[in-house]
Amino acid sequence: MTNNYFPDGFLWGGATAANQIEGAYDEGGKGLSIQDVMPHGITTPPSGTPTEDNLKLHAIDFYNRYVEDIALFAEMGFTVFRFSVAWSRIFPMGNEDEPNEEGLKFYDRVLDELDKHGIEPMITISHYETPLHLARRYDGWSNRKMIGFYENYCRVLFDRFGSRVKYWLTFNEINSVLHEPFLSGGIATPKAELTQQNLYQAVHHELVASARVTRLAREIMPNARIGCMILALPIYPLTPNPDDVVATMKAQHRSYAFGDIHCRGEYPGYLLRYFRDNEIELDITEQDREDLKNTVDFVSFSYYMSLCETADSSRVTGAGNIFGGVTNPTLEASEWGWQIDPQGLRVVMNDYWERWQKPLFIVENGLGAKDRLVEIDGVRTVEDGYRIDYLRKHLLQVNEALADGVDVLGYTSWGCIDLVSASTAQLSKRYGFVYVDRNDDGSGSLERYRKKSFFWYRDVIRSNGAALT
Ligand code: BGP
């Protein structure tokens, strides 16, 4: 049996995103974000205006209940809480000159509360919630002007919160823009009309923006640590046939590129080759090349599953979330078809550490499952042994990676309190340690209840991982 390798000071906690928890979509001077017109997640095209069938409009009402929720996180012993700022709360249209003071005050209050409990905040600056105006008027990140709008937004955040927020992530799952351009990049042009050239140009704008604000952060907040955030997805060859191995390498490159540029400050050769082979010519200025040299301090990532790849198109089967891919015949899947692979987490951690030699932060991991609220000895709870099993197996693999010598700063499980799903916009796809009484039809009291996993995670944190074994 492996010993406990979690180091002292390892950060334990949970992760959320504004659009999936806050609600209050039109309160406090907030403008609309793309999420306010995505009632069904990524499964159907966005609607024109907010409609009441969109659970995100009110979500779990964290906007009004953050005091109670943060107290529950503190009760579990969280030492870090990852959340995002809703860009459209600070700049309702996205590109005003002056920020919305009421929006800033909300995050002041959240930070006060975290501070009260000694919980380190980690802020995602942009988590799938581009202001709708920027999507409609500028076609989101297709447009170079977004770099300036984003920089202004970041300057306001850094000036206001810089003295009390150390950990910042520039873009959630930046590699997903190639797959979900509206969700991830606020690109209003339908996906079917976008070429690879369009997509990579948008990616380029985001990468330059990320690097520019990394430089800005260092000027304004010398003690801050800036991370990129990647959707991690180890890909295995479906067979040992070298054709499958090469196909796997190419598929991996599509995600590695984002970490390579963030960590090395320039485009990797394999991506330049891909551009040549596909006649993609990007508008990259000399200034862009200089800006990209501002590399990140650490690499954060989400991890839910692995995939397979094959060169044989007749063997391709659907699997996975945003990325799609080939099913692994050896693995079981969640109720939503996400294949469960704890060892894949160790693989990806070793891989990233060896490749970039930057500390890692696991900022999302968890099981979306249907929960049943029951009453035991007069107390309402959820007997979610399946979630404990999933998280335990993954955390044991984090321990293995630590034993392998990987440098890891912390772990925030996804959706530490039930929230609205990004891909399907359901509340019944629950990830939390805390159950929120709200259903897919919008009914429910919004009351919070501790699940069995709540007490389990508390013990894991209390023992700094020793309770896992
Ligand atoms: C990631 C997103 C999160 C989150 C998570 C779970 O891709 O960064 O916002 O939602 O996946 O996905 P889902 O909510 O679709 O189950």
Side-chain angles (χ1 to χ4, degrees), residues 275-323:
F275 291 166
R276 278 196 308 275
D277 290 353
N278 292 281
E279 289 169 7
I280 294 170
E281 277 183 41
L282 297 191
D283 167 27
I284 301 179
T285 66
E286 270 317 303
Q287 184 62 47
D288 291 348
R289 286 186 215 282
E290 272 310 301
D291 289 338
L292 286 178
K293 290 184 186 151
N294 294 283
T295 54
V296 289
D297 298 310
F298 68 98
V299 173
S300 79
F301 63 91
S302 61
Y303 177 74
Y304 294 92
M305 73 193 89
S306 59
L307 285 177
C308 286
E309 184 59 275
T310 176
D312 178 356
S313 56
S314 70
R315 299 187 68 172
V316 174
T317 49
N321 60 348
I322 288 178
F323 278 39

Side-chain angles (χ1 to χ4, degrees), residues 20 127-128 172-173 304 338 364 414 421-423 429 431:
Q20 293 171 265
H127 191 132
Y128 294 167
N172 183 61
E173 299 189 333
Y304 294 92
W338 295 19
E364 284 187 34
W414 175 249
S421 148
S423 58
K429 188 179 188 188
Y431 285 87

